[in-house]
Amino acid sequence: MATNNNKEGAGIVQEEHHQGSLNLAATDDINGVEAPVTWQAYLMCAFASFGGIFFGYDSGYINGVNGAKIFIEAVEGPGATELSYSNLTLITSILSVGTFFGAVIAGDVAEWIGRKWTVILGCVIYMVGVVIQMITSAEHALGPIVAGRLIAGLGVGFESAIVILYMSEICPRKVRGALVAGYQFCITIGIMLASIVVYGAQDRTDTGSYRIPIAIQFPWALILGGGLMFLPDSPRYFVKKGMLAKAKNALARVRGQPEDSIYVQSELSEIIANEEYERALIPSTTWFGSWANCFKGSVFSPNSNLRRTVLGTSLQMMQQWTGVNFIFYYSTPFLKSTGAIEDTFLISMIFTIVNVCSTPLSFWTVERFGRRTILILGAFGMLVCQFLVAIIGVTVGFNKTHPSPDDPDVSIANNIPAVNAQIAFIAIFIFFFASTWGPGAWIVIGEIFPLPIRSRGVALSTASNWLWNTIIAIITPYMVHEDKGNMKSSVFFVWGGLCTAAFVYSYFLIPETKGLTLEQVDKMMEETTPRTSAKWKPTTTFASQVGTKEGYLDPNVVGDVERRGSAV
């Protein structure tokens, strides 16, 4: 098989009108299927991670708003001091309901109008939801806040699912993990910004105490949606739709190369050849059939569609099972009740700062040691911390209290240093989560699905994250509330046990995808198992298998892809 590996040559793409309209170089050099990373391409890919601000800010601001006195009275009536349990649960969890359905719907929308435009549409929906939340008044707040958060949740669902898909498809393989980890970093920044804004507005005596934190959501959507207008859509989306000229232009832009670059030709050839290969395995079908394709095959076959869907959805489930949402949603009042914590904002900011500062570590570790390795080590570190918090708490810490001399209704911990030790291990737990499972789960779900089902597979995985986010947000208060489960520190035994499950899960089921193109990931999952995947190396390219003797991609393959796109 002749190949074209001359990286110095122009490799001019020639227009032809026989079997296919593009004459593309096809290389068998496994290291030559992608251009070197340029700053232009790096910054373009990194911008998309800004969408994580939505996720983080929306998760962070609502707890402060729920505690604002004027908001409580606007929901419950004059004189109320706290939200009723039913209203608190409804306001907090309704966003996740919207995001669940938004993520599922986004899988279809991304196939119809493209990745970029789906995210932009999500930004518009999100802004509409923010405007509705702003309609809240000092007399009637419950209806607008619930309706607005539900609609904003749909927008967040679009964004959280498709930004990951978009980034995975445009990022260079050598920095794909680091750039997608930037999405999680933006989530942590969003949480921190929400804490700062809530703290700054908490002393206001007008509706600004909750309207200001709500309104500041608007610019994030405007920045992301407006910025994406100037970026190309995913070249892999264009290939799937048979629009190869647009795919070539988009690929040239995201790689920072001219359209006639040999790198652009080689990578586009690889994407086209892989799409043709996958299409033979997963034929185009009806709308219902396209969803059914996500569940075909055996769960015991490492490369089956069902196995990949189960892997993606269960990975996001495991991320939520680590107990991280309990830490950010409930740990502050939980620890304050011991008498060891006086300033709730301080302890909240400590946890938030640890979260923000730990996440960038994953930019290096995920590319240096790999996805599988950091998920295994992260799960082990988290389970140790959770069990230590639980053991300290039930022996000498949080669970051992006595009535305050000043107020018999207030309990104070017998051993303040022990409670401080619990706080320290919670902070270390956050470090392990933020540097491993926080970004790692998002990175892997963007890499494991073949192109024909990728948008729907990522959508289902993201929907799983939001489903379990909702479930845990609802059941956790029952576990720790004094009138319900009143588990106190024993709840950390639950999280420790689930982190242990995540550790075992990572070892047996997570494949290593570091350093591979998305097309090579498909081949790796066909030829190896998760436990041996780190040793797998590509030996050939898809393009070389359907190339001509002159070193070009078979024009019949190009023509088939274009005709299929025309039929669509």
Side-chain angles (χ1 to χ4, degrees):
M1 176 84 56
T3 60
N4 187 344
N5 295 326
N6 180 16
K7 302 306 179 188
E8 299 300 325
I12 303 297
V13 176
Q14 300 180 15
E15 301 291 335
E16 298 184 354
H17 300 282
H18 49 290
Q19 295 96 325
S21 62
L22 294 181
N23 196 23
L24 300 171
T27 180
D28 61 2
D29 179 7
I30 59 174
N31 296 314
V33 293
E34 196 172 275
V37 182
T38 64
W39 277 108
Q40 174 189 346
Y42 190 93
L43 293 175
M44 186 180 297
C45 297
F47 175 78
S49 66
F50 185 82
I53 294 281
F54 289 35
F55 191 153
Y57 190 90
D58 235 310
S59 300
Y61 91 91
I62 194 60
N63 294 313
V65 167
N66 285 340
K69 183 178 184 298
I70 192 169
F71 180 75
I72 293 171
E73 292 184 343
V75 173
E76 302 291 344
T81 57
E82 63 180 12
L83 294 175
S84 67
Y85 183 79
S86 58
N87 284 338
L88 175 63
T89 303
L90 174 63
I91 293 170
T92 303
S93 62
I94 194 65
L95 180 95
S96 297
V97 175
T99 53
F100 171 81
F101 289 105
V104 174
I105 295 169
D108 278 331
V109 178
E111 290 296 286
W112 297 333
I113 66 174
R115 284 53 161 150
K116 179 182 82 169
W117 291 106
T118 301
V119 177
I120 293 173
L121 178 60
C123 292
V124 173
I125 295 172
Y126 183 81
M127 288 189 286
V128 171
V130 172
V131 170
I132 293 174
Q133 292 177 70
M134 290 297 294
I135 298 174
T136 55
S137 68
E139 292 77 29
H140 305 288
L142 182 61
I145 199 75
V146 170
R149 280 178 63 77
L150 178 63
I151 294 172
L154 289 172
V156 175
F158 273 52
E159 179 273 328
S160 60
I162 307 306
V163 162
I164 294 298
L165 172 64
Y166 179 65
M167 293 181 67
S168 297
E169 290 192 338
I170 69 172
C171 289
R173 60 177 173 173
K174 293 181 180 178
V175 292
R176 187 176 61 237
L179 287 171
V180 177
Y183 177 80
Q184 176 68 20
F185 182 52
C186 286
I187 292 176
T188 66
I189 292 176
I191 294 173
M192 183 176 70
L193 290 175
S195 298
I196 295 171
V197 172
V198 167
Y199 182 72
Q202 67 179 356
D203 294 330
R204 294 180 65 97
T205 56
D206 57 12
T207 56
S209 63
Y210 62 87
R211 279 182 163 176
I212 290 174
I214 291 172
I216 290 180
Q217 299 173 94
F218 199 90
W220 312 139
L222 203 58
I223 294 170
L224 178 63
L228 282 176
M229 296 284 289
F230 301 98
L231 300 186
D233 210 326
S234 163
R236 288 175 169 87
Y237 164 75
F238 286 130
V239 168
K240 186 175 181 181
K241 291 298 182 180
M243 296 180 283
L244 300 188
K246 290 185 177 180
K248 176 161 66 72
N249 176 266
L251 188 61
R253 291 177 64 188
V254 298
R255 293 292 178 260
Q257 299 282 334
E259 288 190 30
D260 60 2
S261 165
I262 188 66
Y263 290 113
V264 172
Q265 290 190 64
S266 297
E267 185 171 0
L268 184 58
S269 295
E270 185 72 357
I271 295 171
I272 292 171
N274 174 258
E275 204 275 341
E276 187 75 359
Y277 172 80
E278 294 290 354
R279 188 61 65 189
L281 300 176
I282 312 173
S284 298
T285 181
T286 63
W287 173 84
F288 179 81
S290 64
W291 277 104
N293 281 335
C294 296
F295 302 95
K296 287 186 176 179
S298 169
V299 73
F300 299 105
S301 174
N303 68 314
S304 74
N305 291 353
L306 176 60
R307 175 68 170 262
R308 298 184 197 219
T309 300
V310 170
L311 175 61
T313 54
S314 61
L315 182 60
Q316 291 288 20
M317 177 186 72
M318 286 289 177
Q319 188 202 59
Q320 293 299 305
W321 277 8
T322 59
V324 68
N325 281 343
F326 171 78
I327 302 298
F328 285 109
Y329 291 170
Y330 303 108
S331 65
T332 300
F334 181 76
L335 291 170
K336 186 177 186 296
S337 62
T338 65
I341 305 298
E342 294 182 1
D343 189 340
T344 57
F345 178 75
L346 174 62
I347 195 67
S348 173
M349 282 306 298
I350 289 174
F351 290 160
T352 301
I353 290 171
V354 171
N355 194 27
V356 172
C357 294
S358 302
T359 303
L361 180 63
S362 66
F363 299 174
W364 177 71
T365 58
V366 74
E367 299 297 356
R368 174 63 178 83
F369 301 107
R371 287 69 156 149
R372 173 180 166 83
T373 301
I374 68 169
L375 289 174
I376 293 173
L377 294 179
F380 181 76
M382 289 189 295
L383 75 87
V384 170
C385 291
Q386 296 281 27
F387 280 126
L388 285 173
V389 172
I391 293 169
I392 294 171
V394 300
T395 54
V396 295
F398 176 78
N399 290 23
K400 306 297 181 180
T401 61
H402 63 272
S404 169
D406 301 325
D407 186 352
D409 294 331
V410 176
S411 297
I412 298 178
N414 295 343
N415 191 330
I416 299 298
V419 176
N420 290 336
Q422 287 184 271
I423 295 171
F425 281 114
I426 290 174
I428 297 172
F429 160 83
I430 294 172
F431 163 79
F432 277 111
F433 175 85
S435 59
T436 59
W437 274 81
W442 293 108
I443 294 169
V444 173
I445 67 167
E447 297 176 329
I448 59 175
F449 294 101
L451 183 58
I453 65 167
R454 185 173 294 144
S455 66
R456 293 181 172 95
V458 173
L460 287 171
S461 301
T462 306
S464 173
N465 180 289
W466 288 110
L467 174 65
W468 285 100
N469 187 309
T470 306
I471 291 172
I472 290 174
I474 292 174
I475 67 173
T476 298
Y478 284 97
M479 298 166 66
V480 298
H481 197 279
E482 290 183 2
D483 297 332
K484 307 295 181 181
N486 197 26
M487 294 182 68
K488 296 185 177 180
S489 294
S490 297
V491 73
F492 287 95
F493 281 119
V494 175
W495 307 130
L498 292 172
C499 286
T500 302
F503 174 73
V504 176
Y505 171 92
S506 302
Y507 179 77
F508 286 103
L509 297 177
I510 301 296
E512 183 53 73
T513 56
K514 175 176 75 76
L516 303 177
T517 66
L518 297 182
E519 290 68 39
Q520 290 168 348
V521 170
D522 287 344
K523 201 67 176 175
M524 177 271 292
M525 295 187 74
E526 288 183 10
E527 297 179 355
T528 186
T529 64
R531 283 186 289 172
T532 59
S533 57
K535 299 179 181 178
W536 185 88
K537 302 295 180 186
T539 57
T540 187
T541 65
F542 284 95
S544 66
Q545 297 175 40
V546 288
T548 66
K549 293 181 179 180
E550 293 77 22
Y552 292 96
L553 190 65
D554 187 344
N556 291 303
V557 172
V558 177
D560 287 344
V561 172
E562 290 181 321
R563 283 191 293 272
R564 187 163 54 243
S566 300
V568 173

